[in-house]
Amino acid sequence: MKTLTMATIALGLSLTSFSYAQNVSLTTTNWAPYYGDNLEQGGFISVIVNESFKASGYQSELEFAQWTDAMRQVKEGEKDVLVGAFYSDERAQDYHVSIPIYSVFSGVIKHKNLELDFYSSYEMLNQYKIGKIEGAVVGQSFDSFPFEKLQGFAGTEDGIQALQNGQINLFADNLSVAKSAASKLGLEPSDFAMVQPPIEKNDLYIMISKKIANAEKIRDDFNAGFIKIQTNGTYDAVLKQFNQL
């Protein structure tokens, strides 16, 4: 696991509401190009989260782990915040959920050798062996369908390698993440494509453990900080820095 100590609080913040800088521990998994331990500053989503906390007087430290481990650590209160999660009603029982911080498309990814470009129903997809990140939310409709050949993987790289090797036919994820994983594995990113249509447009959130002290305040302070960086131009500046505009 790799830990990134994010920047300290900005000079000039008003101390009216914050008498000291509170530390928050963050965790997530490798999901490039959005966040990852091999990306500049942990990726642009990591920077957005850090800047939002910083704007509300917090210091943050981010550690990367497998997704199921990251979720468990936050659920049990070993870490404070899970970064970059999709919403589900089940998750909302264990975590306080922020306002949305970014949106991405989920879909089923194929290798170019598979002759499937479009699908019209999940029944049509059900004939294929499908992979996904273990413990991940793909989309409400997808997650509620009883796929017969659905297999969990530790991360996107494992799933893309299985797709390349023919162990599975499709992998449910984000296309940019899949192509980034392919590149890291030494595979040709253009060999992978999303079967149309996308499954769902999902918002990314941070999720705060309900087992830590002041959990709701941390969520509310993060939300306030996120709104502040949108207002003062920091949010767009981060996206521009990482070529996301």
Side-chain angles (χ1 to χ4, degrees):
M1 293 183 292
K2 183 175 179 180
T3 301
L4 293 177
T5 302
M6 309 304 280
T8 55
I9 58 172
L11 297 176
L13 278 175
S14 170
L15 299 181
T16 304
S17 301
F18 308 101
S19 58
Y20 61 93
Q22 180 175 339
N23 295 316
V24 287
S25 58
L26 317 177
T27 186
T28 190
T29 195
N30 287 303
W31 207 56
Y34 302 102
Y35 36 87
D37 59 13
N38 63 332
L39 300 176
E40 179 188 353
Q41 299 180 70
F44 73 93
I45 294 296
S46 302
V47 176
I48 286 170
V49 171
N50 172 64
E51 290 294 331
S52 299
F53 274 122
K54 187 168 67 173
S56 286
Y58 289 77
Q59 298 184 59
S60 60
E61 186 174 86
L62 176 62
E63 184 174 279
F64 292 88
Q66 287 191 356
W67 185 240
T68 52
D69 290 337
M71 289 195 301
R72 178 193 58 78
Q73 288 171 4
V74 177
K75 180 179 178 179
E76 296 178 1
E78 296 173 12
K79 298 286 186 183
D80 300 325
V81 177
L82 184 66
V83 173
F86 294 165
Y87 176 87
S88 73
D89 291 339
E90 181 180 3
R91 289 178 177 178
Q93 296 177 19
D94 298 313
Y95 313 95
H96 293 297
V97 183
S98 73
I99 57 178
I101 60 174
Y102 198 72
S103 296
V104 298
F105 280 102
S106 296
V108 284
I109 312 302
K110 70 159 195 169
H111 189 272
K112 66 177 183 180
N113 293 337
L114 181 67
E115 294 185 3
L116 176 68
D117 296 317
F118 301 93
Y119 71 97
S120 57
S121 67
Y122 290 144
E123 286 79 6
M124 181 178 173
L125 294 181
N126 198 30
Q127 64 183 297
Y128 298 98
K129 292 181 288 184
I130 304 175
K132 58 170 280 189
I133 297 175
E134 187 175 359
V137 167
V138 177
Q140 184 175 356
S141 59
F142 181 93
D143 294 332
S144 62
F145 188 87
F147 287 102
E148 297 172 1
K149 304 173 186 177
L150 188 63
Q151 181 179 351
F153 291 86
T156 303
E157 287 180 32
D158 300 286
I160 293 303
Q161 188 65 66
L163 195 58
Q164 172 75 18
N165 295 343
Q167 296 169 246
I168 56 175
N169 309 116
L170 299 166
F171 188 71
D173 208 319
N174 171 269
L175 183 57
S176 295
V177 175
K179 287 180 176 290
S180 179
S183 180
K184 190 173 181 181
L185 290 166
L187 305 175
E188 176 52 57
S190 63
D191 285 349
F192 300 89
M194 182 180 288
V195 182
Q196 297 298 316
I199 292 170
E200 197 166 306
K201 185 177 182 180
N202 285 305
D203 291 325
L204 289 175
Y205 303 83
I206 69 161
M207 298 191 176
I208 299 93
S209 174
K210 288 188 175 182
K211 291 194 174 181
I212 63 172
N214 301 318
E216 291 182 85
K217 182 178 187 302
I218 292 172
R219 178 202 59 199
D220 293 344
D221 288 343
F222 173 85
N223 289 344
F226 180 70
I227 292 170
K228 182 175 181 179
I229 70 167
Q230 287 184 304
T231 302
N232 66 19
T234 300
Y235 184 86
D236 285 344
V238 171
L239 294 181
K240 184 177 181 179
Q241 175 189 346
F242 286 83
N243 298 313
Q244 297 299 318
L245 281 180

